[in-house]
């Protein structure tokens, strides 16, 4: 009897619901779709001169989903020539506004190239509460001609290096140029990997000057030359650039290295300079170097004149090799303090020559006054640090640890540093804190077969006569490898007759062995004793 009551009650509810549906309209229902208004004017040419002006607004009439409906709109732009599309905005308003420069960037993202006329279609969708979506009643079209803001200051013949042509992006393309008007286009290009490329006329990208080109070196910063006869040449990769001269800490012997920024495409260094002269060069070699062109302020020329530093100061120096064959540099004084790139270690081992070719060096990669290097010193060797004309010695004595493997000391206007035990040492120095250290280092044997496991290796002894490393060690059954300076950055494993970087572990049986490593030819021997 109870079941019957429930059944009758349910039937009553269904009947009531049916009556309500018959007499009440839904709260949300598309009553009128949105309508796009024409883009006016409908033919726009974007240039340098009007790039900051407003692009014609994209507007529409509201969609009607009923009282109280919250409506949002998504606007899509399509390049009719290739059917590439992008959503250019989502809003609850009835218009989207852009500057010409902003629209120019959008057009580039859907494959519109500078100087070419394209037809574009604007479409729109409306949505209420993210539940109901409808297309606008129409689409609208307009014509536009984009431009390349990267060539604003180029008034000589230039060309694009179109990587991956025909699928290339002009906003990321490097430029080569013919500033001399001799029909030869030249410029520097950063190839991130092995690829193909074409060279396209800068004024008319439909004109292919050279095609089906392949990167010679696969990767790197390369000078590309398009000869007047249409042939293309590539330099070897110039992946390091530096400043060199008597204005720099390295004099005319050593480069002060610059860093490349892939976003700005500039080579930059912050360094102290004296009121002397310098030049720029690639790969620490004089084959490719730039000096002043003698014509324009801050202009550069291949094998040009030495550049004069106006006064002693720290400078931010930038090298711009990407402006279609016309290259420039900039020097900005700065209060940022940096150390020299390196100090030399002249001493009794080489005749106390601070600038000799055979002098040891400690390097400060970050130019943060912290230097490091690793060398073999025979027993009785004496040396000092030498930094841009200043001699730095030891103040007091070396404080060695119990095992005599690491010694700390104070540096300044002091005496020679004396090596009392011949060994390969890692030398560190901090010329801000004026402290230094000597630590025995070199190749070591490490692995779960050794007493230190994979955490601590046994340093091998260096023989300067044979230029080999050796140790007598007792091991358990397990694996070993060789590594340099207690770090896995440089390590050797695999076949003892052909060791390789990051090679496999070397298995050894329990016992006592003499192990000899020749790191120069990547071989080793393990002999029972």
């Amino acid at each position: 009897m109870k079941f019957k009551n429930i059944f009758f009650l349910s039937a009553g509810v269904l009947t009531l619901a049916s009556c309500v549906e018959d007499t009440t309209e839904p709260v949300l229902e598309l009553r009128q779709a949105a309508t796009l208004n024409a883009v006016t004017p409908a033919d726009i040419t974007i240039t340098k001169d009007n790039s900051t002006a407003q692009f014609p607004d994209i507007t529409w009439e509201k969609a009607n989903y009923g009282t109280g409906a919250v409506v949002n709109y998504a606007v899509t732009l399509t390049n009719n020539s290739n059917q590439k599309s992008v959503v250019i905005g989502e809003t609850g308003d009835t218009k989207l506004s852009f500057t010409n420069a902003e629209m120019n960037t959008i057009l580039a993202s859907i494959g519109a190239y500078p100087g070419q006329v394209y037809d574009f279609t604007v479409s729109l969708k409306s949505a209420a509460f993210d539940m109901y979506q409808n297309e606008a009643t129409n689409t609208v079209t307009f014509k536009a001609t984009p431009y390349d803001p990267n060539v604003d200051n180029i008034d000589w013949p230039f060309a694009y290096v179109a990587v991956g042509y025909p699928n290339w992006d002009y906003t990321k393309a490097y430029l080569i140029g013919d500033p001399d008007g001799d029909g030869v286009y030249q410029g520097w290009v950063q190839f991130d990997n092995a690829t193909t490329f074409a060279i396209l006329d800068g004024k008319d990208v439909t004109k292919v000057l050279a095609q089906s080109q392949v990167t010679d070196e696969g990767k790197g910063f390369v000078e590309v030359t398009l000869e007047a006869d249409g042939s293309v040449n590539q330099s070897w990769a110039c992946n390091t650039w530096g400043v060199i001269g008597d204005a720099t800490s390295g004099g005319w012997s050593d480069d002060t290295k610059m860093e490349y920024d892939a976003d700005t495409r500039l080579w930059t260094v912050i360094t102290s300079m004296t009121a002397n002269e310098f030049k720029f060069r690639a790969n620490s070699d004089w084959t490719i170097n730039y000096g002043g062109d003698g014509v324009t302020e801050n202009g550069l020329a291949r094998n040009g004149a030495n550049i004069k530093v106006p006064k002693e100061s720290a400078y931010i120096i930038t090298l711009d090799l990407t402006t279609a064959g016309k290259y420039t540099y900039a020097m900005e004084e700065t209060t940022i303090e940096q150390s020299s790139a390196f100090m030399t270690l002249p001493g009794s081992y080489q005749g106390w020559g601070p600038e000799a070719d055979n002098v040891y060096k400690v390097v400060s990669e970050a130019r943060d006054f912290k230097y490091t290097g690793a060398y073999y010193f025979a027993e009785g060797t004496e040396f000092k640090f030498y930094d841009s004309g200043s001699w730095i010695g030891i103040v007091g004595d070396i404080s060695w640890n119990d095992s005599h493997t690491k010694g700390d000391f104070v540096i300044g206007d002091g005496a020679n540093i004396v090596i009392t035990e011949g060994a390969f040492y890692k030398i560190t120095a901090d010329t801000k804190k004026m402290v230094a250290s000597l630590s025995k280092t070199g190749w070591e044997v490490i692995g779960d077969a050794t007493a230190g496991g994979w955490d601590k290796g046994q340093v091998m002894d260096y023989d300067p006569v044979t230029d080999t490393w050796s140790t007598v060690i007792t091991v358990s059954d397990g694996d070993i490898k060789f590594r340099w300076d207690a770090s896995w950055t440089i390590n050797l494993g695999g076949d003892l007759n052909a060791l390789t970087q990051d090679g496999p572990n070397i298995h050894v049986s329990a016992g006592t062995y003499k192990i000899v490593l020749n790191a120069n030819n990547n071989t080793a021997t393990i002999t029972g004793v």
Side-chain angles (χ1 to χ4, degrees), residues 232-249:
V232 177
N233 298 313
Q234 301 173 43
S235 74
W236 59 87
C238 294
N239 294 330
T240 62
W241 285 83
V243 293
I244 187 169
D246 53 12
T248 72
S249 60

Side-chain angles (χ1 to χ4, degrees), residues 269-271 313-318 329-335:
V269 66
I270 303 174
T271 186
S313 176
Y315 289 91
I316 302 172
I317 303 175
T318 55
Y329 73 97
M331 295 183 66
E332 178 186 352
E333 284 190 66
T334 180
T335 57

Side-chain angles (χ1 to χ4, degrees), residues 372-375 377 424-428 437-442 485:
T372 185
Y375 300 99
F377 290 95
F424 220 96
Y425 289 95
K426 180 177 182 179
I427 308 103
T428 64
S437 68
L438 291 167
S439 302
K440 288 185 180 180
T441 190
D485 193 26

Side-chain angles (χ1 to χ4, degrees), residues 441-444 446 455 457 459 483-490:
T441 190
W443 285 98
E444 63 182 17
I446 189 170
D455 297 321
V459 178
R483 73 174 184 177
W484 172 258
D485 193 26
S487 168
W488 288 106
T489 303
I490 301 176

Side-chain angles (χ1 to χ4, degrees), residues 99-132:
T99 64
N100 282 338
E102 291 170 338
M103 180 55 69
N104 194 71
T105 301
I106 294 171
L107 301 185
S109 73
I110 50 176
Y113 294 110
Q116 306 299 306
V117 182
Y118 294 87
D119 290 310
F120 299 93
T121 296
V122 181
S123 57
L124 179 142
K125 286 184 178 180
S126 63
F129 297 111
D130 295 327
M131 295 172 59
Y132 299 88

Side-chain angles (χ1 to χ4, degrees), residues 67 73 173 183 399 412 520:
T67 304
Y73 304 91
S399 176
N520 292 322

